[in-house]
Amino acid sequence: MIPINELQAKIYQCLSDLDIKVYDEVPLNSPMPLISIGDYNLYSMEYKGEGYIFEWTINIYTEYEGKKQVNELVSKAINKLYELSESNLNEFYSIDDVILNNTNINRLEGFYVANISIKIEIC
């Protein structure tokens, strides 16, 4: 069985260390700043035998004026996600590597949203 829930729990635990609320599904009117564990794509790692690649999106929302807070939160989140490398998910799978795909930051009406696309390889 693919350990999707175990990986999401690891992501949640790791991002919770940033001392802001982390959500799977953000409740209406939640105060910012906050992090949302977004959507993912899942691929088979045929070239490495049994393993999988997740491309997961992490969303950060902040109402702070200017980019200072969003930039700091993006940097901290990426560094925390890198710490997941070589950690165990269960007795069969562990996280082999964490790679940043890309990040974009957008100013919307009254707040910033940062979208971090992270690649996580599990074997």
Side-chain angles (χ1 to χ4, degrees):
M1 184 177 224
I2 303 170
I4 300 168
N5 288 330
E6 291 95 331
L7 179 56
Q8 183 170 328
K10 280 277 196 189
I11 292 169
Y12 177 87
Q13 291 166 353
C14 139
L15 294 173
S16 293
D17 289 345
L18 297 176
D19 294 327
I20 65 173
K21 276 305 254 182
V22 178
Y23 297 97
D24 176 21
E25 186 69 31
V26 180
L28 193 60
N29 299 320
S30 296
M32 295 181 208
L34 64 87
I35 296 174
S36 168
I37 300 173
D39 299 331
Y40 65 87
N41 293 312
L42 173 61
Y43 306 95
S44 174
M45 282 190 345
E46 294 174 11
Y47 62 92
K48 282 192 175 181
E50 188 169 336
Y52 300 94
I53 297 172
F54 289 83
E55 290 181 351
W56 217 300
T57 301
I58 307 300
N59 307 297
I60 300 173
Y61 300 88
T62 177
E63 294 174 308
Y64 186 86
E65 294 291 326
K67 291 187 186 88
K68 183 178 191 278
Q69 185 178 51
V70 73
N71 290 341
E72 288 175 355
L73 290 172
V74 165
S75 179
K76 289 177 182 179
I78 291 168
N79 286 328
K80 289 304 290 180
L81 290 163
Y82 283 152
E83 291 177 12
L84 291 173
S85 287
E86 300 181 20
S87 60
N88 290 329
L89 292 174
N90 59 33
E91 61 185 289
F92 304 108
Y93 289 97
S94 63
I95 297 172
D96 188 41
D97 205 0
V98 177
I99 302 161
L100 176 65
N101 280 338
N102 63 65
T103 300
N104 62 67
I105 298 171
N106 298 291
R107 177 78 173 153
L108 301 177
E109 220 172 289
F111 64 97
Y112 281 98
V113 62
N115 303 297
I116 301 169
S117 175
I118 203 92
K119 184 189 301 186
I120 301 172
E121 297 179 356
I122 66 168
C123 308

